[in-house]
Amino acid sequence: MADVPRNLPPLSLHVPEPKFRPGDAVDFAAVEVPPAGAQPRPDTAADPASFHDLSYTLIRVLDDEGQAVGPWNPRLDPDTLRTMLRDMALVRAFDERMFRAQRQGKTSFYMKCTGEEAVAIAATHALSRDDMCFPSYRQQGILIARNYSLVQMMNQIYSNSGDVLQGKQLPIMYSSRDDGFFSISGNLTTQYPQAVGWAMASAAKGDTRIAATWCGEGSTAEGDFHSAMTFATVYKAPVIFNVVNNQWAISSFSGFAGAEATTFAARAIGYGMAGLRIDGNDALAVYAATQWAAERARTNQGPTLIEHFTYRAEGHSTSDDPTQYRSAGEPGAWPLGDPVARLKAHLIAIGEWDEERHAAQDREVAELVKAAQKEAEKNGILGHGLHQPLDSLFDGVFEEMPWHLREQRQQMLDEEEASGRPWARKA
Amino acid sequence: MSDVIETAATGEAGETVRMNMIQSINSAMAVMMERDPNVIVMGEDVGYFGGVFRATAGLQEKFGKTRVFDTPITECGIIGVAIGMGAYGLRPVPEIQFADYIYPALDQLVSEAARLRYRSAGQFTAPLTVRSPFGGGIFGGQTHSQSPEGIFTHVSGVKTVIPSTPYDAKGLLIASIEDNDPVIFFEPKRIYNGPFNGHWDRPAENWSKHPGGAVPEGYYRIELGKAAIVRPGNALTILAYGTMVHVAKATVEEMGIDAEIIDLRTLVPLDIETIEESVKKTGRCMVVHEATRTGGFGAELSALVQERCFYHLEAPVERVTGFDTPYPHSLEWAYFPGPVRIGQALKKLLKD
Ligand SMILES: Cc1ncc(C[n+]2csc(CCOP(=O)(O)OP(=O)(O)O)c2C)c(N)n1
């Protein structure tokens, strides 16, 4: 052991700091935005070591003129493009409406995905209908893209009598097995290893279905993220890992998840996994990357990590006020634009869309959401939570109810009797 | 604090001002950071923003980024790193944003922090104070409502502290930060802004009207392991902590029952003397907590009372708890042990 020299300069602790805080003028010039179409598209059977660069750049398809360019252009037909655009507009309208519903006291909580609509919508269009998605709370677009009923979504948000989850979950924590949508947890990143397990099971059974999972960049710090990566790479699990880098984790900027040192896509490299870093506000790039990763998974080439470089244009949730920690100018200055506007511009540029049709569509989706809300509210709003049959509180803890739960259920019913509360007994 | 008969505060408290519990917790950290340069505050969103509940607001500005900082979102990382800092000689006060998210940190807390002193024969210790908001009643659903205190009282080597007023929160937090053992400090978030009588359809009070909202600005500590008798009485003894102290108090007052209510304040170490003395006096005992029933801390309390006061008991110890289910979003008020559940149990306990 060497002697410790006594006259060393003192160490110092580095604590990351975002570039802009409330009151600062925003300048995103330091965000490197390579031109669309510039990145090569490797063969899906290629060795991940041969395309490490794709973890450090940004794969982009839509250029500034709204044209789709380069080897990653998925060459989608206009109908698919229009469907994706409509889905994205619908998610936005849905978010608007439900955010307002929370503000009106109709439910306890809501989370928007404004500015990130392409991430879930385009990916879902590139997956098969029966692939299993393990989302976090900001991928409501998966359900919308799979034509899940808006009324059902709202019933869940209101915890009303029509809620298929029986009022047991926080609003927006949907679950629909039939639609390949795994039950959302409030505990961050727990879905990551679960997605790997599902994918491993599918491979072990000789199935053809694959799994996809999503988490935020902040959530990549969780241990579960790293366990998932290890399992996936060891067993070459047919799974797609999506990291939605929207720059902020509540008030903490991406630097607190490690973004000052490297990219999130580069997490893949240490595991020997395929990694892509893409423009998350470019629906075509999201589609193309997902399609490529899905092909790798389906041909037993193993997992892919996709970093969607995007921006959370609104608050974290209804409980959050982003002006307390970030510059108000950020959302407007974001260099990758708005995903809905960009896809719209593309459709217009190729002569398949126009402003009039777009405005009509905006009206149409707003009406659709409004009508769905009206329908859902017939089943009640959260209010005081009186919509679920009282004794359903004990359903679903176990498949069969043990004695102590039956006893407690009786106790609760006696309590109701004593209180004169207006809960309805289960029919 | 007029309605606390036995309090164990010591210190040079200074001017008293009105605070809610969030402010008093903030004040405790500020006082300790001022006094001891080794105290540091860390956790998700605690730095610039000051925490999602604003408990650390202003601390970074005052004490700098290397003493108050945001962390990556990894609870096991936060606690593991805090243990290392403690081993160096710092006194970390990590925040776990919601108690529901303490589970990823369990291994570091249970296998490491709790045993470091024991397994190293005192060469290393983990003097951390883990703050975390807990409990329900805010429509937080399954993952923002849990009460995991029983998990920690079951572990040897960690202390578990739960305040019920701003005054206690500050004095107990200061004592926790000064403590050389790892402390889990659970903050009942339902009463952050004011005491609460358990009736979900009535507005919550404000701490400014409650004696517990009068908080000295400076340093004082409430010794860990000392309960408070928040209401003297002779008909029975109610053992409670956190939010449930207020619900129990409101219930017995509404029912006109001469109950003695003991706010345990710390579960480990437990003030067994105060409990024993009270139960021997009243001959009846009820335990109230919001956590699920089976294997909960109420079971431990009930067993202790039975072991030590059996020949003085005139009725079996009654347990009032949350149910053995996850916290249901829409039916959370049916889950919550409110005045009706406590009232039913009181009637049963006082039957003959
Ligand atoms: C295990 C766990 N720890 C903490 C939280 C509290 N929490 C909820 S969302 C969030 C930020 C997540 O940020 P990110 O992963 O970047 O996703 P984003 O919300 O930006 O989409 C935090 C800290 C939680 N839900 N679960």
Side-chain angles (χ1 to χ4, degrees), chain B:
Chain B
M1 259 194 80
S2 60
D3 75 336
V4 172
I5 289 180
E6 283 180 27
T7 174
T10 54
E12 57 223 46
E15 286 294 297
T16 289
V17 293
R18 286 279 156 192
M19 292 187 197
N20 65 26
M21 201 187 283
I22 296 171
Q23 293 163 329
S24 80
I25 284 164
N26 183 284
S27 171
M29 286 185 275
V31 164
M32 287 312 294
M33 294 190 81
E34 197 78 65
R35 284 170 73 97
D36 181 353
N38 289 318
V39 175
I40 65 114
V41 166
M42 60 195 281
E44 296 159 18
D45 300 295
V46 304
Y48 182 90
F49 183 54
V52 292
F53 288 101
R54 320 298 293 141
T56 57
L59 295 180
Q60 186 177 71
E61 217 175 337
K62 210 156 156 196
F63 298 102
K65 279 197 306 178
T66 53
R67 290 188 66 198
V68 183
F69 51 83
D70 289 335
T71 60
I73 305 173
T74 164
E75 290 73 16
C76 74
I78 293 169
I79 301 302
V81 163
I83 292 170
M85 290 175 157
Y88 177 88
L90 300 187
R91 287 190 179 276
V93 186
E95 176 181 295
I96 299 294
Q97 202 159 72
F98 284 87
D100 312 66
Y101 306 140
I102 212 163
Y103 304 113
L106 266 190
D107 187 45
Q108 285 289 345
L109 282 169
V110 172
S111 315
E112 309 302 320
R115 297 180 195 170
L116 198 53
R117 174 190 299 283
Y118 194 77
R119 76 187 192 201
S120 70
Q123 292 172 13
F124 296 102
T125 59
L128 23 142
T129 300
V130 184
R131 291 182 40 248
S132 193
F134 88 124
I138 60 155
F139 278 113
Q142 309 182 9
T143 55
H144 301 82
S145 306
Q146 291 163 69
S147 302
E149 66 272 18
I151 291 173
F152 294 98
T153 58
H154 190 59
V155 174
S156 334
V158 280
K159 296 180 175 171
T160 304
V161 180
I162 299 172
S164 73
T165 65
Y167 177 87
D168 278 10
K170 181 169 174 184
L172 289 167
L173 183 53
I174 286 176
S176 300
I177 294 172
E178 287 185 337
D179 200 283
N180 288 326
D181 288 313
V183 176
I184 311 283
F185 192 89
F186 281 132
E187 301 167 3
K189 60 183 172 287
R190 186 65 181 79
I191 54 171
Y192 264 158
N193 293 307
F196 159 71
N197 62 16
H199 296 282
W200 51 265
D201 47 356
R202 294 185 207 161
E205 257 180 85
N206 197 303
W207 280 119
S208 66
K209 300 194 186 80
H210 188 280
V215 180
E217 283 198 301
Y219 171 92
Y220 67 97
R221 46 181 278 150
I222 298 176
E223 207 182 317
L224 305 186
K226 293 273 185 263
I229 299 177
V230 296
R231 185 187 190 283
N234 295 298
L236 80 150
T237 301
I238 298 181
L239 305 179
Y241 48 89
T243 305
M244 287 299 138
V245 172
H246 302 278
V247 181
K249 194 154 172 276
T251 309
V252 297
E253 277 162 12
E254 283 160 28
M255 293 174 74
I257 291 172
D258 182 26
E260 179 146 300
I261 300 180
I262 297 179
D263 176 357
L264 298 176
R265 300 205 286 204
T266 64
L267 307 189
V268 177
L270 185 68
D271 184 353
I272 191 69
E273 277 153 40
T274 301
I275 296 173
E276 214 176 309
E277 203 175 303
S278 175
V279 176
K280 284 180 177 166
K281 178 180 77 175
T282 63
R284 294 169 206 267
C285 181
M286 184 167 113
V287 177
V288 192
H289 64 58
E290 198 184 327
T292 50
R293 184 182 189 84
T294 302
F297 193 65
E300 177 61 29
L301 288 170
S302 169
L304 279 170
V305 167
Q306 188 274 145
E307 281 165 10
R308 289 163 182 259
C309 310
F310 184 74
Y311 295 106
H312 295 80
L313 286 176
E314 287 164 45
V317 178
E318 194 61 38
R319 271 190 292 163
V320 179
T321 68
F323 297 127
D324 287 333
T325 71
Y327 228 104
H329 179 245
S330 74
L331 293 176
E332 72 164 11
W333 290 113
Y335 177 97
F336 191 88
V340 180
R341 193 168 314 156
I342 296 176
Q344 299 268 91
L346 282 170
K347 282 183 201 150
K348 196 170 151 203
L349 189 61
L350 295 171
K351 209 164 53 201
D352 36 38

